[in-house]
């Protein structure tokens, strides 16, 4: 019986073995068929050899500071030779400690994950992958991230192929440059910048370990929201590095004790100040190379921006707009909420304007007394606004008018008002805990500074705040420039037979009007007339009537031509009102035109980009490439001269004419409408501009090597208020900017070109004089056009050269009368006066 049983058992075992073999063969064949089926369309892994990942384009200022990045995927590609070994070791320790030993698959890891996944399936948890770094490369580059067995099989086959085709260093290079690590960062180099503001070689061990902790799930280890988990994971990576012998135990303990501190890149005043500028750069590069190249091409864009000037420009513009705003009263609270218990929570729910000045903060008015207002802050602390800090806050009325004087805090503030305040403890007469009322201006404007010799835009601010409005008032706002156009009227006159000493009658003037009015009758701002006046006096003091009379004598055709030749207008209608700046232009174009005057009459093309390089470092755009035969010599020798570059710029106006206008505009700063710049104590020129009804205010100021223009106005044209002219609103902004910007420029006179003769004359009547006499200055003439002194002239004190009205008896009478009047100081005669 036992023998029979044993035989049965052997027979059963045999058939069982045969069945197992058959089933095994069937399973193997089935598996092979399955593998062949799911891998018959595998992507070509060899394409990894041609890997060119999307790389972010980076924008640098002219002084080298990074000011912007453009990307769909923020990535900086770094070759493996330039990646520090500690970075490689950290990621291997965290993700695949046997990376340099396996052939693409970690069988022990796969078995371990399979066992764990049984429990994961039963408990509804996410499956473990046990992927090697090679498998992650296959998945990230060639496959999807879907959780399916089919994808896993394809991944494993590709991993084996990748291992045979590439070296380990090539595989880890692909991985470290492709992996997503959160915070908009793809690859370790971008992550180092975005989390810590450092390049890879600047990272410390604890920072490297944190980056290596992120591949498992960046959101799970967010440095702020999940700080404890992030530090724990980081310290685990450091521990693994020590276990694998990459760092010492002592270094590991020291790194684990470090706090986790990240930075907010591309933030702060320097970057905020450049927002309008970099948006212009983005648009220009987009138009040159297209969307894909801009966001994926890894362009290196070197711009013209001077970051210190940009900060000064933004500060000057903001201060000027806030000063104007305060002159025109208080518009009321941001909101009104209930006081009493819970006011901190209610205050935190109020929407507060972004991009506030440093030190500005929201507050709630808790109580007003006879001489103070008690206020509370988001942190629960309290302060007060003294009555003296509220005197400016009169009610804002229409047309720039103000309401009644403020006599008590309750005239301005009410209980529950949500307001903006700033500490005034550093001001004389105030103490800690006292604050001043603030408000974001409604008025806006722009400022633009340019190198007049190269056209490089050194600073550009297109408004009070880019966050509030992205409309760029320096480049996009088309408004009437008013009297700031007059220098080009006078340039046309100088090229058509007039001199700075030529006399023009400043007396009531009337001409036939256009379709909208029967008559055109301009007026001076002072509503006075001054008789015979030199061209210099007319430009220095911005006299409207004599400017229009000059335009009528000369004809509007040459003025229109000069407006177009200088690039201010495209098509200027030749009517008299245009001589006073009634056409529309932009600050960008106007500053460019002034730059042409300053540099001696040569056209400059404004630019915001110096150079663009592609991802390989090859220059694909350069703003200015000048021919130079001696610039590339390997060694300098005494017989070599300094490089001489040919002048390729178009001559817009004769250098003598350009200098004559610049010289007269120096007088506008010394004695005329531009005296706001006089405290700077160096050779400067400038011209104000104000349009009808005080709707727009302009100022363009310049030194020998820098031009700055300022525009101020409401986006929807509205009166600035009586007396708010260019010299009051815009010129102080230019002054505040130049005070900072010119610190690195030497104090130097304007360059005098050949063909200029400087002759002492009386600036009011054009007669020859002697330096030191009242009213006598050195005037710039073309040789042969200067006034000549005769015995009769010496007796009468009058001399005219090339002057079309010098023989007019009325002109002589008015000129003598003008000589006898006392100098009453500068007149800001800018108002167009259309009637």
């Amino acid at each position: 019986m036992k023998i029979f049983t044993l035989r049965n058992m052997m027979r059963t075992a045999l058939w069982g073995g045969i069945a197992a073999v058959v089933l095994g063969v069937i399973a193997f064949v089935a598996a092979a068929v399955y593998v062949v089926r799911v891998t018959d369309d595998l992507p070509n892994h060899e394409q990894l050899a041609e890997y060119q990942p999307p790389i972010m384009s980076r924008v640098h200022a002219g002084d080298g500071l990074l000011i912007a990045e453009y990307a769909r995927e923020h990535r900086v590609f770094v070759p493996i030779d330039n990646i520090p070994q500690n970075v490689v070791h950290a990621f291997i320790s965290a993700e695949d400690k046997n990376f340099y030993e396996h052939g693409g698959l970690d069988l022990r890891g796969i078995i371990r994950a399979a066992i764990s996944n049984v429990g994961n399936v039963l408990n509804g948890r996410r499956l473990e992958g046990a992927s090697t770094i090679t498998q992650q490369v296959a998945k990230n580059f060639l496959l999807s991230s879907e959780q399916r067995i089919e994808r896993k099989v394809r991944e494993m086959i590709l991993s084996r192929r990748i291992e045979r085709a590439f070296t380990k260093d090539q595989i880890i290079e692909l991985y470290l440059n492709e992996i997503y690590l959160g915070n908009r960062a793809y690859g370790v180099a971008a992550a180092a910048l975005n989390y810590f503001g450092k390049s890879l070689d600047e990272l410390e061990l604890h920072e490297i370990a944190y980056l290596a902790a992120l591949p498992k799930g960046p959101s799970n280890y967010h440095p702020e929201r999940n700080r404890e988990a992030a530090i724990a994971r980081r310290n685990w990576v450091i521990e693994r590095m020590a276990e694998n012998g990459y760092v010492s135990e002592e270094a590991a303990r020291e790194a684990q004790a470090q706090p986790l501190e990240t930075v907010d890149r591309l933030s702060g005043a320097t970057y905020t100040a450049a927002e309008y500028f970099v948006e212009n750069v983005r648009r220009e590069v987009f138009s040159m190379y297209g969307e894909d190249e801009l966001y994926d091409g890894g362009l290196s864009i070197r711009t013209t921006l001077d970051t210190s000037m940009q900060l000064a420009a933004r500060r000057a513009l903001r201060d000027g707009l806030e000063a104007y705003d305060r002159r025109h009263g208080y518009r009321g609270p941001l909101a009104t909420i209930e006081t009493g218990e819970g006011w901190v929570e209610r205050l935190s729910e109020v929407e507060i304007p972004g991009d506030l000045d440093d030190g500005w903060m929201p507050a709630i008015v808790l109580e007003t007394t006879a001489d103070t207002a008690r206020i509370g802050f988001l942190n629960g602390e309290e302060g007060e606004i003294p009555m003296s800090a509220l005197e400016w806050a009169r009610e804002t009325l229409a047309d720039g008018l103000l309401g009644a004087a403020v006599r008590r805090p309750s005239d301005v503030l009410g209980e529950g008002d949500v307001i903006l305040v700033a500490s005034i403890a550093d001001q004389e007469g105030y103490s800690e805990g006292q604050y001043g009322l603030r408000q974001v201006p409604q008025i806006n404007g722009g400022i633009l500074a340019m190198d007049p010799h190269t056209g490089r835009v050194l600073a550009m601010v297109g408004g009070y705040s880019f966050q509030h409005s992205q409309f760029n008032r320096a480049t996009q706002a088309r408004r009437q420039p008013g009297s700031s156009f007059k220098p080009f009227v006078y340039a046309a006159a100088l090229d058509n037979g007039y001199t700075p000493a030529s006399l023009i009658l400043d007396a009531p003037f009337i001409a036939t009007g256009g379709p909208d009015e029967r008559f055109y009758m301009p007026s001076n701002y002072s509503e006075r007339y001054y008789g015979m006046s030199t061209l210099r006096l007319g430009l220095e003091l911005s006299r409207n009537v004599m400017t229009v009379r000059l335009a009528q004598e000369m004809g509007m055709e040459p003025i229109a031509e000069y407006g177009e030749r200088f690039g201010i207008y495209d098509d200027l209608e030749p009517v008299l009102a245009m001589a006073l700046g009634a056409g529309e232009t932009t600050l960008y174009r106007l500053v460019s035109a002034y730059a042409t005057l300053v540099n001696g009459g040569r056209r400059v093309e404004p630019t915001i980009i110096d150079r663009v390089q592609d991802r390989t470092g090859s220059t694909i755009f350069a703003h200015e490439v000048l021919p130079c035969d001696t610039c590339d010599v390997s060694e300098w020798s005494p017989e070599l001269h300094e490089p001489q570059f040919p002048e390729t710029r178009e001559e817009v106006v004769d250098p003598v004419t350009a200098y004559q206008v610049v010289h007269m505009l120096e007088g506008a700063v010394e004695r005329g409408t531009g005296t706001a710049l006089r405290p700077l104590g160096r050779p400067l020129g400038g011209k104000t501009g104000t349009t009808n009804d005080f709707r727009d205010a302009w100022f363009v100021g310049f030194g020998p090597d820098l031009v700055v223009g300022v525009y101020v106005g409401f986006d929807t044209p509205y009166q600035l208020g009586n007396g708010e002219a260019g010299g009051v609103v815009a010129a102080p902004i230019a002054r505040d900017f130049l005070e900072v910007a010119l610190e690195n420029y030497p104090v130097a006179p304007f360059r005098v070109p050949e063909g200029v003769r400087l002759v002492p004359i009386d600036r009011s009547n054009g007669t020859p004089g002697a330096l030191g006499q009242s009213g006598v200055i050195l005037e710039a003439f073309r040789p042969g056009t200067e006034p000549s002194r005769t015995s009769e002239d010496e007796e009468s004190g009058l001399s005219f050269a090339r002057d079309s009205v010098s023989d007019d008896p009325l002109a002589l009478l008015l000129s003598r009368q003008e000589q006898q009047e006392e100098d009453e100081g500068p007149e800001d005669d800018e108002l167009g006066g259309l009637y």
Side-chain angles (χ1 to χ4, degrees):
M1 187 67 179
K2 292 182 179 180
I3 295 174
F4 178 78
T5 303
L6 180 62
R7 285 177 179 176
N8 285 340
M9 291 176 61
M10 292 177 63
R11 187 179 297 113
T12 301
L14 176 62
W15 285 107
I18 293 172
V21 170
V22 171
L23 290 174
V25 170
I26 293 173
F28 177 80
V29 171
V33 170
Y34 175 78
V35 169
V36 169
R37 184 178 64 80
V38 299
T39 61
D40 62 353
D41 61 343
L42 281 178
N44 183 5
H45 63 281
E46 294 181 356
Q47 63 183 282
L48 297 179
E50 306 297 325
Y51 174 59
Q52 282 198 334
I55 301 176
M56 62 183 173
S57 294
R58 310 181 78 193
V59 183
H60 291 84
D63 51 17
L65 183 69
L66 179 70
I67 54 176
E69 293 170 343
Y70 304 122
R72 294 189 183 98
E73 298 180 359
H74 285 251
R75 178 184 287 105
V76 179
F77 184 85
V78 181
I80 188 63
D81 292 340
N82 295 331
I83 298 177
Q85 278 298 298
N86 255 359
V87 174
V88 176
H89 294 157
F91 278 84
I92 288 176
S93 297
E95 295 294 310
D96 186 2
K97 72 174 184 177
N98 298 318
F99 171 71
Y100 282 105
E101 299 170 6
H102 62 65
L105 302 176
D106 185 351
L107 297 180
R108 284 177 295 179
I110 292 173
I111 294 171
R112 184 176 61 253
I115 295 172
S116 297
N117 282 337
V118 173
N120 292 334
V121 169
L122 295 175
N123 294 293
R125 295 193 296 263
R126 179 183 173 87
L127 299 180
E128 294 183 18
S131 294
T132 64
I133 285 177
T134 310
Q135 287 177 270
Q136 292 184 55
V137 168
K139 179 185 68 176
N140 293 337
F141 284 88
L142 304 173
L143 302 171
S144 68
S145 297
E146 59 183 345
Q147 293 288 320
R148 295 176 59 186
I149 295 177
E150 178 180 325
R151 195 271 299 165
K152 197 68 178 178
V153 172
R154 291 163 64 87
E155 175 189 297
M156 295 169 69
I157 299 299
L158 278 173
S159 297
R160 293 291 296 156
R161 294 179 182 180
I162 290 171
E163 285 280 349
R164 289 193 293 268
F166 299 96
T167 68
K168 289 289 188 178
D169 280 351
Q170 289 174 320
I171 295 170
I172 196 71
E173 177 184 84
L174 291 170
Y175 173 77
L176 292 177
N177 281 288
E178 180 69 15
I179 189 72
Y180 178 65
L181 297 173
N183 198 17
R184 302 169 293 111
Y186 290 80
V188 292
L193 292 170
N194 286 8
Y195 283 105
F196 302 111
K198 298 179 179 181
S199 60
L200 285 174
D201 58 344
E202 296 173 325
L203 292 176
E204 298 179 33
L205 176 59
H206 64 96
E207 295 167 332
I208 292 172
Y210 174 69
L211 298 185
L214 293 171
K216 281 292 186 284
S219 61
N220 297 332
Y221 306 111
H222 190 278
E224 299 298 333
R225 295 193 298 268
N226 300 300
R227 177 173 290 274
E228 291 185 6
I231 293 176
R233 178 72 178 177
R234 179 202 69 179
N235 290 348
W236 176 83
V237 173
I238 295 172
E239 181 181 333
R240 294 292 300 271
M241 292 180 71
E243 290 176 359
N244 294 334
Y246 294 132
V247 297
S248 67
E249 292 290 345
E250 181 182 356
R253 286 194 299 272
E254 183 178 339
Q256 289 175 327
Q258 297 298 318
L260 177 57
E261 296 177 347
T262 57
V263 300
D264 186 8
R265 287 188 68 236
L266 299 183
S267 63
T270 300
Y271 305 104
T272 304
E275 287 175 321
Y276 283 102
F277 184 90
V278 298
E279 172 59 14
N280 260 46
V281 171
R282 188 196 65 80
R283 292 179 180 179
E284 189 164 323
V285 176
F286 183 95
S287 67
M288 293 165 63
Y289 301 109
E291 182 177 6
D292 290 343
E293 195 67 16
L294 173 62
Y295 291 104
D296 299 334
L299 301 178
S300 175
I301 305 162
R302 178 59 66 93
T303 70
T304 61
L305 188 74
D306 183 303
T307 53
S308 61
M309 284 196 193
Q310 183 73 8
L311 285 168
R314 187 173 192 260
R315 183 70 274 151
L317 181 64
R318 281 200 155 200
D319 286 349
L321 297 178
E322 289 168 9
Y324 168 88
D325 191 64
R326 288 171 67 88
R327 290 198 297 271
H328 292 271
Y330 177 59
R331 296 186 301 278
L334 301 174
T336 301
I337 61 177
E338 291 184 11
T339 56
E341 187 176 352
W343 63 261
V344 172
E345 289 74 16
R346 289 189 289 276
L347 177 60
S348 67
E349 295 172 356
V350 176
E351 184 176 353
I352 304 299
D355 194 18
L356 297 176
D357 266 357
D358 288 343
W360 287 25
M361 64 191 83
I364 179 176
V365 178
L366 300 173
E367 179 188 21
T368 60
T369 65
D371 53 5
T372 63
R374 185 166 62 90
I375 57 176
F377 301 101
L378 285 169
N379 59 7
E381 296 181 359
E382 297 184 5
E384 67 173 31
I385 303 176
M387 175 59 203
S388 57
L390 291 171
E391 292 175 351
W392 68 270
R394 297 163 66 182
E395 182 184 0
T396 298
L397 302 178
D399 300 326
L401 301 178
L402 292 171
V406 176
R407 302 189 182 280
R408 59 187 65 83
S410 59
D411 291 343
V412 179
L413 303 173
E415 185 177 319
D417 283 355
V418 178
I419 58 176
L420 296 174
V421 299
S423 174
I424 54 176
D426 59 342
Q427 299 181 21
E428 186 177 354
Y430 297 101
S431 59
E432 194 67 32
Q434 293 188 313
Y435 295 83
L437 178 65
R438 300 289 183 264
Q439 68 181 357
V440 175
Q442 283 187 337
I443 197 168
N444 231 307
I447 181 170
L448 187 144
M450 181 185 297
D451 183 321
H453 307 290
T454 64
R456 299 176 74 246
V457 175
L458 303 173
M460 176 200 295
V461 184
Y464 182 82
S465 168
F466 188 78
Q467 292 183 26
H468 298 172
S469 168
Q470 297 183 18
F471 181 69
N472 191 330
R473 295 151 193 88
T475 60
Q476 295 175 300
R478 296 181 59 86
R479 306 299 278 268
Q480 295 181 1
S483 294
S484 57
F485 178 65
K486 286 178 182 174
F488 306 96
V489 176
Y490 285 75
L494 293 171
D495 279 346
N496 282 272
Y498 294 82
T499 77
S502 295
L503 296 180
I504 300 295
L505 180 62
D506 186 11
F509 177 92
I510 189 168
T512 302
D516 297 330
E517 65 275 330
R518 292 181 58 191
F519 302 106
Y520 173 56
M521 188 174 69
S523 64
N524 290 328
Y525 177 65
S526 63
E527 299 184 357
R528 297 177 56 194
Y529 302 95
Y530 300 91
M532 299 304 297
S533 301
T534 60
L535 259 66
R536 165 175 284 279
L537 209 62
L539 187 55
E540 281 187 0
L541 302 179
S542 196
R543 290 182 176 165
N544 291 332
V545 177
M546 65 174 291
T547 301
V548 175
R549 192 183 299 276
L550 171 65
Q552 186 187 52
E553 286 186 11
M554 180 173 48
M556 276 299 299
E557 284 73 15
I559 295 174
E561 179 195 349
Y562 271 54
E564 296 166 14
R565 183 191 297 184
F566 277 90
I568 302 171
Y569 303 110
D570 293 325
D571 184 16
L572 183 62
E573 187 179 0
V575 297
L576 288 176
M578 298 301 173
L580 299 182
E584 291 185 343
T585 189
T586 65
L587 182 63
Y588 192 76
R589 300 181 75 165
L590 188 65
V591 171
S592 302
Y594 273 81
T596 298
L597 292 174
V598 175
N599 73 34
R602 296 281 180 177
R603 183 184 305 282
V604 290
E605 294 295 334
T607 181
I608 57 176
I609 299 176
D610 277 338
R611 184 180 72 248
V612 179
Q613 294 171 289
D614 63 16
R615 66 168 67 208
T616 68
S618 299
T619 298
I620 58 177
F621 170 81
H623 168 60
E624 189 173 38
V625 179
L626 299 174
C628 178
D629 297 331
T630 60
C631 291
D632 293 332
V633 295
S634 57
E635 294 183 6
W636 182 85
S637 57
E639 60 270 15
L640 289 176
H641 298 288
E642 293 182 0
Q644 299 294 318
F645 300 103
E647 180 58 76
T648 59
R649 297 173 300 175
E650 174 192 358
E651 184 176 280
V652 176
V653 69
D654 185 85
V656 174
T657 301
Y659 177 75
Q660 287 178 304
V661 176
V662 167
H663 191 49
M664 288 192 284
L665 292 176
E666 278 191 90
V669 169
E670 289 299 315
R671 300 169 292 273
T673 59
T675 53
L677 301 189
R678 195 161 59 189
L680 299 180
R682 58 166 69 215
L684 295 170
K687 184 70 191 75
T688 52
T690 311
T691 57
N692 283 351
D693 299 325
F694 297 99
R695 290 182 180 270
D696 301 290
W698 300 73
F699 185 80
V700 182
F702 54 84
D705 300 303
L706 183 65
V707 181
V708 60
V710 175
Y711 158 75
V712 176
F714 290 96
D715 289 342
T716 299
Y718 186 76
Q719 290 187 8
L720 302 181
N722 190 41
E724 298 285 12
V728 176
V729 180
I733 297 174
R735 177 200 62 215
D736 292 347
F737 166 76
L738 289 171
E739 184 176 10
V740 177
L742 291 175
E743 288 178 353
N744 295 323
Y745 286 80
V747 178
F750 288 93
R751 300 166 183 85
V752 182
E754 294 183 5
V756 170
R757 184 175 181 188
L758 297 173
V759 178
I761 67 164
D762 188 314
R763 72 182 186 94
S764 62
N765 55 41
T767 60
L771 291 178
Q773 293 180 343
S774 177
V776 173
I777 64 168
L778 281 176
E779 188 59 271
F781 294 93
R782 296 179 184 275
T785 67
E786 63 271 24
S788 57
R789 185 184 296 274
T790 66
S791 58
E792 182 179 350
D793 293 334
E794 291 174 355
E795 291 177 6
S796 64
L798 296 172
S799 176
F800 306 99
R802 302 185 65 163
D803 182 20
S804 61
V805 297
S806 60
D807 295 327
D808 186 339
L810 177 60
L812 293 174
L813 177 62
L814 289 173
S815 182
R816 290 178 190 274
Q817 185 179 9
E818 173 71 6
Q819 275 189 298
Q820 294 171 1
E821 292 183 355
E822 293 182 358
D823 187 1
E824 299 182 13
E827 296 283 354
D828 192 7
D829 291 334
E830 300 179 323
L831 198 58
L834 302 180
Y835 293 92

